[in-house]
C-alpha cells in the first residue's frame, strides 16, 4: 500500500499535515514507538506511529524526524490522545525532511491504524502476524515484560509457535516457562554465549532432546557486543528452513525484544544512581542515618512500600552485600550481569558499578542468599567468558540495618579475595569461609571502628602529610614482614638504620611498642579497618 491509501475512503480518519507531495511512498509495515532515538529499530519502509511522549522541547521534533528520515521511514502518524494537537514545530520538521505527517485523532486507536495497514500489505498469514507484532510495540514500550508475553502468546496461538526470551543466566523474561525445562534453558544459553563468543553468524541452531531451537541475539544496539548481558530470543524449530517472510517475522521479533531491553535499562537509571550513592556513603563511613535515607528511597521504588513499612526495611531490615570483580571484561559488564541475575521482577537489588567490578546491596526477604546458589545462578556465563574472562564474587553475612553495611561490605570484599584465589571462570565465596578476625572486624559498629582506627593511625597519617614521610607504608611493610628488620628494609629498598628510625618515630607518635605482639596486632587491625 501507499501512504495516500491511509487518506482514502474506508481508511481510519487521519488528517494530512505535511509533505503532500510524498504520498506515493510504499508502506511495508508499522512501528509504534515513543523512544527519543528509534533509528536502530528501523529497517526501511515503516509508517511510524507515535504518541509524542518523546517531545519535551520544540527542538526534539527536528531530532526525531531527522532520525526517522535517516532510518528509511516513509511517514509519521502522531496520536493526539496523550499530549493534544500536533505541535507546529513537528509539522515544520516534517516539511523540511519531506516526511508525510498524519494526525491520528484521539478517538482513533493505534491498533486500528495498524490493523488497516496490516490488511493492506499482508501477502500471507506470516505477514499478518508481523503487522500484529508491530501493533504490540506500544504495549512493550508502555507496560514492560507483559507486552512481550502478549506478543509471544499471539505467536503461539496463531502459528502454534513457541518462543521465549531468556537472560544469559537462563531466567525467563517472557514465554511459556513450563514448556522449557531448567536444564534445557541452561544448555540453550550456554550455546548462545559460546556462539556469540566465537562470533558465529545468527541464528544459532541447537538440537536438544526436546527438539531443535533457533537462537537470535537481541543486542540493545548494533555497536554493543555484550553477550553476557543481552537477552536472547529462543524460537522452537529451525528458522533457516522457514520462508523469507517468516524469517523476517523472527528478526522483527528480535528487534522488539531489544527495544524492551532498552526500555528496561532506561528504567534502571535512577536505581543505579541510588546504588552508586549508597556505595559512596559506605566508602566514606557516612552516618547510618544518611545511608538509611537512600535505602528508604530504593525500597520504596522497588517494592512500592508506603511510609513506615519502607522506612522499617531501610533502618531495621537485614541486608546482604556482594562484592564482584571481572577479569578480561569491559567496564560495566559485571554490573549489568548482576542486575539481570539478581534484579528479578521487582529489581530490589542495588547494584553499584566499580569499573570492572560491582558492589550489591540486597535486602534479605526470604533468608540469606547462599554462595552455592549464586554460583549455580551464574554458572551458565562460563560459556561466554573466553580463555581470559573471569568473574569472582564474595558474599557477606546478613547485616542488620544500615549501620552494619560498612562491615558487611568489607566482609564481602574479603570473601571475594578468597574466591579470586581459586581456579575457575566463575568463583563465589561466602562468609562461612572467612578467617575469624575478618568476621570480628565486620561485626564492629562503625563508630567504634572509626575511633579505634583514629586512635592508632591519625597521628601517623598527620605526620606523613606534614613531613612528606612514608610511615604508614613502612608500618604495613613491617607487619607483613613479621617484624623482620632485614626483610622489611629490603622490601622498602632502605637501609636498616632508616627503617629503625621510622619505626621509632611511629612508636613515639603512638606510645606503642612494635616489639610487643599485642601492639602489632592492634596496628594490624587498624590498618585492616582503613
Amino acid at each position: 500500500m501507499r501512504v495516500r491509501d491511509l487518506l482514502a475512503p474506508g481508511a481510519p480518519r487521519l488528517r494530512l499535515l505535511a509533505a503532500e507531495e510524498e504520498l506515493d511512498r510504499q508502506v511495508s509495515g508499522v512501528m509504534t514507538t515513543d523512544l527519543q532515538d528509534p533509528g536502530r529499530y528501523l529497517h526501511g519502509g515503516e509508517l511510524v506511529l507515535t504518541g509524542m511522549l518523546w517531545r519535551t522541547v520544540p527542538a526534539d521534533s527536528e531530532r526525531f524526524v531527522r532520525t526517522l528520515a535517516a532510518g528509511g521511514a516513509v511517514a509519521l502518524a502522531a496520536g493526539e490522545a496523550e499530549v493534544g494537537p500536533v505541535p507546529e514545530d513537528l509539522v515544520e520538521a516534517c516539511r523540511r525532511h519531506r516526511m508525510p505527517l498524519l494526525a491520528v485523532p484521539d478517538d482513533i486507536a493505534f491498533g486500528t491504524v495498524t490493523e488497516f495497514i496490516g490488511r493492506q500489505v499482508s501477502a500471507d498469514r506470516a505477514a499478518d502476524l508481523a503487522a500484529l507484532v508491530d501493533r504490540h510495540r506500544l504495549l512493550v514500550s508502555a507496560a514492560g515484560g507483559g507486552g512481550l508475553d502478549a506478543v509471544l502468546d499471539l505467536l503461539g496461538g496463531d502459528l502454534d509457535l513457541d518462543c521465549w526470551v531468556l537472560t544469559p543466566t537462563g531466567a525467563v523474561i517472557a514465554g511459556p516457562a513450563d514448556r522449557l525445562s531448567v536444564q534445557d534453558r541452561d544448555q540453550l544459553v550456554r550455546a548462545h554465549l559460546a556462539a556469540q563468543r566465537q562470533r558465529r553468524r545468527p541464528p544459532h541452531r541447537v538440537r536438544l532432546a526436546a527438539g531443535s531451537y533457533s537462537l537470535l541475539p537481541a543486542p540493545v544496539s548494533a555497536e554493543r557486543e555484550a553477550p553476557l548481558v543481552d537477552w536472547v530470543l529462543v524460537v522452537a524449530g529451525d528458522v533457516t528452513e522457514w520462508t523469507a517472510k517468516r524469517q523476517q517475522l523472527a528478526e522483527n521479533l528480535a528487534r522488539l525484544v531489544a527495544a524492551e531491553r532498552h526500555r528496561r535499562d532506561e528504567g534502571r537509571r535512577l536505581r543505579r544512581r541510588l546504588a552508586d550513592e549508597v556505595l559512596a556513603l559506605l566508602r566514606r563511613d557516612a552516618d547510618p542515618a544518611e545511608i538509611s535515607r537512600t535505602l528508604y528511597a530504593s525500597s520504596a521504588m522497588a517494592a512500592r512500600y508506603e511510609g513506615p513499612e519502607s522506612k522499617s526495611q531501610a533502618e531495621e531490615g537485614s541486608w546482604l552485600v556482594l562484592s564482584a570483580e571481572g577479569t578480561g571484561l569491559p567496564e560495566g559488564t559485571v554490573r549489568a550481569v548482576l542486575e539481570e541475575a539478581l534484579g528479578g521482577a521487582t529489581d530490589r537489588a542495588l547494584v553499584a558499578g566499580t569499573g570492572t567490578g560491582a558492589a550489591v546491596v540486597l535486602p534479605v526477604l526470604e533468608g540469606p542468599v547462599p554462595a552455592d546458589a549464586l554460583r549455580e545462578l551464574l554458572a551458565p556465563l562460563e560459556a561466554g567468558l573466553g580463555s581470559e574472562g573471569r568473574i569472582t564474587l564474595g558474599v557477606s553475612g546478613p547485616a542488620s540495618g544500615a549501620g552494619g553495611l560498612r562491615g558487611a561490605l568489607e566482609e564481602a570484599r574479603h570473601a571475594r579475595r578468597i574466591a579470586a584465589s581459586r581456579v575457575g571462570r566463575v568463583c563465589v565465596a561466602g562468609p562461612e569461609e572467612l578467617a575469624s578476625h575478618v568476621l570480628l572486624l565486620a561485626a564492629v559498629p562503625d563508630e567504634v571502628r572509626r575511633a579505634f582506627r583514629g586512635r592508632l593511625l591519625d597521628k601517623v597519617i598527620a605526620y606523613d602529610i606534614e613531613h612528606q614521610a612514608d610511615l604508614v607504608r613502612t608500618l604495613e611493610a613491617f607487619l607483613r614482614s613479621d617484624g623482620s628488620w632485614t626483610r622489611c628494609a629490603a622490601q622498602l629498598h632502605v637501609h636498616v638504620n632508616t627503617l629503625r628510625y621510622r619505626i621509632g618515630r611511629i612508636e613515639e607518635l603512638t606510645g606503642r611498642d612494635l616489639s610487643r605482639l599485642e601492639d602489632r596486632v592492634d596496628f594490624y587491625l587498624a590498618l585492616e579497618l582503613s
Side-chain angles (χ1 to χ4, degrees), residues 259-511:
E260 164 61 6
R261 174 58 197 272
H262 176 78
R263 187 203 63 81
R264 178 82 63 91
D265 283 351
E266 290 293 308
R268 280 177 170 160
R269 282 188 176 182
L270 179 56
R271 287 192 61 75
R272 286 184 169 185
R273 288 200 296 270
L274 290 173
D276 289 340
E277 182 178 346
V278 168
L279 182 59
L281 292 172
L282 293 177
R283 282 175 166 170
R284 64 179 176 87
D285 278 348
D287 187 281
E290 192 175 358
I291 300 172
S292 290
R293 286 192 289 272
T294 307
L295 294 176
Y296 179 100
S298 72
S299 295
M301 181 189 305
R304 301 191 180 184
Y305 293 157
E306 296 182 0
E309 295 182 13
S310 179
K311 186 175 182 180
S312 174
Q313 170 63 37
E315 294 183 347
E316 302 172 7
S318 292
W319 304 83
L320 291 179
V321 178
L322 281 61
S323 176
E325 186 66 32
T327 303
L329 301 175
E331 288 195 8
T333 299
V334 172
R335 178 183 201 166
V337 163
L338 292 178
E339 281 179 336
E340 284 300 320
L342 301 174
T346 55
D347 251 356
R348 293 182 182 274
L350 281 174
V351 186
T354 58
T356 58
V360 184
V361 177
L362 183 68
V364 181
L365 301 177
E366 299 177 357
V369 178
D372 288 344
L374 283 171
R375 190 180 299 109
E376 183 178 349
L377 179 66
L378 300 176
L381 300 178
E382 295 173 348
L385 285 171
S387 59
E388 302 298 326
R390 236 185 142 216
I391 295 177
T392 55
L393 191 145
V395 188
S396 77
S400 179
L405 285 178
R406 170 69 184 182
L409 177 60
E410 289 191 13
E411 187 176 305
R413 285 172 173 168
H414 283 289
R416 196 204 65 77
R417 292 191 190 103
I418 293 175
S421 67
R422 294 174 176 160
V423 176
R425 302 282 178 79
V426 177
C427 297
V428 184
E432 67 281 355
E433 302 177 66
L434 295 177
S436 58
H437 81 275
V438 175
L439 292 176
L440 289 174
L441 291 180
V444 175
D446 288 345
E447 59 273 14
V448 176
R449 297 151 65 88
R450 284 192 289 267
F452 178 78
R453 185 176 62 231
R455 192 176 299 120
L456 268 79
L457 296 180
D458 277 359
K459 290 182 179 179
V460 181
I461 294 171
Y463 185 91
D464 274 353
I465 294 173
E466 182 178 353
H467 299 279
Q468 298 296 305
D470 211 5
L471 297 186
V472 172
R473 190 168 73 93
T474 299
L475 177 60
E476 291 175 336
F478 186 72
L479 295 175
R480 282 198 306 269
S481 302
D482 297 324
S484 169
W485 297 99
T486 54
R487 277 192 287 133
C488 183
Q491 181 180 335
L492 293 174
H493 305 290
V494 298
H495 194 275
V496 171
N497 288 341
T498 302
L499 175 60
R500 290 186 185 277
Y501 171 80
R502 291 182 183 179
I503 295 299
R505 177 62 67 185
I506 292 171
E507 291 175 335
E508 288 177 13
L509 292 169
T510 61

Side-chain angles (χ1 to χ4, degrees), residues 174-186:
D178 58 333
R179 299 185 192 174
L180 201 61
S181 70
V182 174
Q183 294 78 11
D184 286 349
R185 296 204 304 267
D186 181 84

Side-chain angles (χ1 to χ4, degrees), residues 11-79:
R13 190 167 31 85
L14 309 183
R15 304 193 313 276
L16 177 65
L17 301 181
E20 181 178 3
E21 68 279 8
E22 300 293 335
L23 293 183
D24 284 330
R25 292 182 175 183
Q26 193 76 31
V27 179
S28 62
V30 183
M31 176 185 180
T32 301
T33 184
D34 274 306
L35 293 174
Q36 289 184 332
D37 182 6
R40 63 177 68 102
Y41 308 117
L42 293 169
H43 53 273
E46 296 95 346
L47 171 103
V48 175
L49 281 167
T50 181
M52 298 186 290
L53 298 179
W54 45 264
R55 181 185 177 275
T56 55
V57 295
D60 291 340
S61 294
E62 168 65 24
R63 187 182 309 112
F64 185 78
V65 176
R66 184 170 63 245
T67 299
L68 298 188
V74 297
L76 173 63

